[in-house]
């Protein structure tokens, strides 16, 4: 549906988008996730035609809308794209219905058709009853729903979202992201969604594109990205992660699990990563803080578990859990987030355990 081939955008000598290649399928919701300044909005604005790229190609379905080589650059109104921004950009002097119908003025539609399409879009976002209200009298969440209705009303072939929920409080954000996802699925519309909120990305995406400095670092589904980040950057950007130095122990792989040697000399397992070197290769052994089990004796642990004898250095009560700072035998620090009923005092000896399937290997 959408294809970016080696998309580039420079501002003077600064490369905001270094090179981005991406295929987005029909009806798919793909998130661009990354830190401030990594080029998310610039990529989106290039797709919309609001920014002129400096290289590459953009395809929407079978139509090439931008090509540096062919010197082709279709204006935004010829791209049939709907966009929702962080700011709602609604006209205060128009009613809700007039705001939603406004972009339809450019299309060759009768007044009755414009009104019908606007009302349909307002019904989708649950705000048909507010049609004659001034947008200024509505809440932030309602205003953003109207902006979404406006984007939907023109029956675009692709929807672009640029941090649409950043101005809203946490609970409203969680509710609206669910609504956006529901509408997007129901209409089967293709969407690109920019955010720097990792939980938002995990919650709504079919696939997540992790970006850093104008480049794609990893593209994967939420589950794969969370459980198998491929680089230090991707690992640390999603959730809380411990990386411990280790080496490849031997080349034997059983049941998809390979063996690694910790700095203390113990053998631990993790899913095989075929692109890692042979025995002796240095790697980082990745462990998610929230997947660690903390126990006082190892008898209750399932066989095959990775186990680190540790000493408790610190415990912080967080309400829904306790965050422990632990020190391994070889002096590495481990952070573990465990349920609040596991109470251990600083200085206590314990074992940090994690299933090999839940670990991952980083090589950068
Ligand atoms: N018009 C412009 N002129 C010069 N530099 C620009 C322009 N627009 C963006 N940039 C730069 O390009 C880089 C990428 O900007 P972009 O807005 O795409 O980042 P972003 O990933 O959306 O970040 P954020 O999460 O803060 O919105 C930034 O360093 C920014 O300063
Ligand atoms: Mg941005």
């Amino acid at each position: 549906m959408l294809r970016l081939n080696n998309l580039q955008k420079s501002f003077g000598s600064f490369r905001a988008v270094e090179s981005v290649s991406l295929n987005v399928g029909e009806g798919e919701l793909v998130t661009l996730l990354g830190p401030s300044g990594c080029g998310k909005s610039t990529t989106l604005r290039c797709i919309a035609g609001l920014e002129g790229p400096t290289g590459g190609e953009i395809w929407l379905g079978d139509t090439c809308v931008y090509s540096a080589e062919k010197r082709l650059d279709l204006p935004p109104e010829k791209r049939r794209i709907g966009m929702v921004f962080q700011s709602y950009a609604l006209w205060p002097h128009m009613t809700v219905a007039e705001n939603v119908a406004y972009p339809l003025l450019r299309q060759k539609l009768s007044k009755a058709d414009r009104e019908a399409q606007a009302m349909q879009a307002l019904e989708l976002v649950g705000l048909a009853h507010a049609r004659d209200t001034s947008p200024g009298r509505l809440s932030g969440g309602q205003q953003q729903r109207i902006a979404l209705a406006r984007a939907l009303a023109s029956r675009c072939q692709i929807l672009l979202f640029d941090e649409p929920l950043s101005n809203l409080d946490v609970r409203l954000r969680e509710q609206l992201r669910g609504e956006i996802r529901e509408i997007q699925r129901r209409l089967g519309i293709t969407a690109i969604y920019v955010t720097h909120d990792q939980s938002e990305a995990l919650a709504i995406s079919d696939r997540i594109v992790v970006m850093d400095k104008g480049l794609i670092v990893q593209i994967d589904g939420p589950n794969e990205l969370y459980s198998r980040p491929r680089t230090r950057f991707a690992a640390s950007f999603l959730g809380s992660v411990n990386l411990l130095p280790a080496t490849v122990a031997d080349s034997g792989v059983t049941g998809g699990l390979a063996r690694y040697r910790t700095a203390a000399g113990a053998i631990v397992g993790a899913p095989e990563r075929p692109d890692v070197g042979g025995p002796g290769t240095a790697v980082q052994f990745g462990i998610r803080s929230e997947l660690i089990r903390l126990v006082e004796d190892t008898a209750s642990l399932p066989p095959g578990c990775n186990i680190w004898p540790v000493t408790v250095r610190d415990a912080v009560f967080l309400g829904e859990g306790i965050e422990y700072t632990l020190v391994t035998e070889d002096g590495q620090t481990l952070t573990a987030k465990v349920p609040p009923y596991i109470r251990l005092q600083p200085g206590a000896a314990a074992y940090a355990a994690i299933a090999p399937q839940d670990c991952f290997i980083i090589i950068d």
Side-chain angles (χ1 to χ4, degrees):
M1 176 66 218
L2 169 75
R3 206 161 79 238
L4 306 178
N5 289 339
N6 188 23
L7 180 72
Q8 300 166 26
K9 173 63 184 175
S10 298
F11 296 103
S13 61
F14 176 70
R15 294 185 190 167
V17 178
E18 175 95 35
S19 170
V20 167
S21 296
L22 175 67
N23 276 319
V24 180
E26 182 98 44
E28 197 180 15
L29 190 152
V30 169
T31 301
L32 306 184
L33 177 70
S36 186
C38 72
K40 306 180 295 293
S41 296
T42 306
T43 303
L44 212 62
R45 291 170 57 79
C46 286
I47 297 169
L50 302 172
E51 200 83 76
T54 40
E57 277 184 354
I58 303 173
W59 288 77
L60 285 172
D62 296 332
T63 313
C64 182
V65 297
Y66 171 80
S67 166
E69 201 178 307
K70 296 180 201 140
R71 295 180 178 276
L72 179 73
D73 194 3
L74 289 191
E77 62 275 15
K78 293 239 168 91
R79 298 192 185 192
R80 293 193 49 217
I81 282 174
M83 200 150 173
V84 181
F85 301 94
Q86 182 176 337
S87 66
Y88 321 124
L90 300 171
W91 299 104
H93 60 282
M94 291 182 190
T95 65
V96 163
E98 284 165 352
N99 265 283
V100 174
Y102 186 72
L104 301 176
L105 284 172
R106 275 201 251 104
Q107 302 181 5
K108 292 190 183 72
L109 290 170
S110 69
K111 185 158 182 285
D113 283 348
R114 283 202 302 272
E115 284 174 7
Q117 269 181 238
M119 278 314 290
Q120 244 176 21
L122 277 173
E123 269 157 27
L124 275 172
V125 300
L127 279 173
H129 60 276
R131 55 175 301 172
D132 298 321
T133 316
S134 155
R137 300 175 57 173
L138 301 174
S139 70
Q142 288 172 320
Q143 292 191 42
Q144 194 54 302
R145 283 194 187 90
I146 295 166
L148 173 60
R150 182 180 52 193
L152 292 168
S154 39
R155 310 225 166 125
C156 46
Q157 47 181 345
I158 181 161
L159 267 180
L160 306 179
F161 295 90
D162 196 352
E163 311 220 17
L165 308 179
S166 301
N167 282 340
L168 307 173
D169 68 59
V170 179
R171 286 192 46 196
L172 193 54
R173 230 160 44 209
E174 287 175 2
Q175 186 194 337
L176 259 180
R177 79 184 183 205
E179 288 179 23
I180 289 178
R181 178 59 158 157
E182 203 270 320
I183 293 172
Q184 178 267 336
R185 271 205 176 119
R186 185 138 51 98
L187 301 181
I189 204 163
T190 309
I192 315 265
Y193 191 106
V194 165
T195 182
H196 57 243
D197 180 337
Q198 43 160 305
S199 55
E200 200 165 289
L202 290 171
I204 67 164
S205 313
D206 290 308
R207 284 187 302 153
I208 299 173
V209 176
V210 183
M211 290 181 64
D212 186 26
K213 301 192 185 86
L215 286 168
I216 293 178
V217 177
Q218 185 169 353
I219 307 179
D220 257 320
N223 273 314
E224 296 78 33
L225 190 62
Y226 181 79
S227 52
R228 304 271 180 277
R230 302 193 63 79
T231 60
R232 200 181 280 263
F233 179 84
S236 57
F237 204 75
L238 278 151
S240 161
V241 68
N242 298 286
L243 293 177
L244 301 180
T247 53
V248 178
D250 53 48
S251 45
V253 175
T254 351
L257 297 174
R259 288 146 51 90
Y260 300 88
R261 192 180 302 278
T262 69
I267 295 294
V268 286
E272 186 205 7
R273 192 169 155 169
D275 56 344
V276 85
T281 307
V283 298
Q284 298 288 325
F285 197 87
I287 309 166
R288 296 240 170 247
S289 302
E290 58 275 21
L291 298 180
I292 292 179
R293 285 174 66 182
L294 197 56
V295 294
E296 284 176 277
D297 76 83
T298 56
S300 64
L301 294 172
C305 235
N306 294 329
I307 299 170
W308 281 265
V310 291
T311 309
V312 174
R313 182 192 285 164
D314 194 18
V316 179
F317 182 63
L318 302 171
E320 80 277 10
I322 299 181
E323 185 173 281
Y324 283 99
T325 306
L326 311 166
V327 184
T328 64
E329 283 176 314
D330 52 320
Q332 309 282 337
T333 304
L334 266 183
T335 303
K337 287 187 189 141
V338 301
Y341 52 78
I342 297 167
R343 299 290 177 122
L344 293 169
Q345 296 303 318
Y351 297 92
I354 184 163
Q357 294 81 356
D358 290 339
C359 302
F360 55 87
I361 298 299
I362 300 280
I363 49 180
D364 70 330

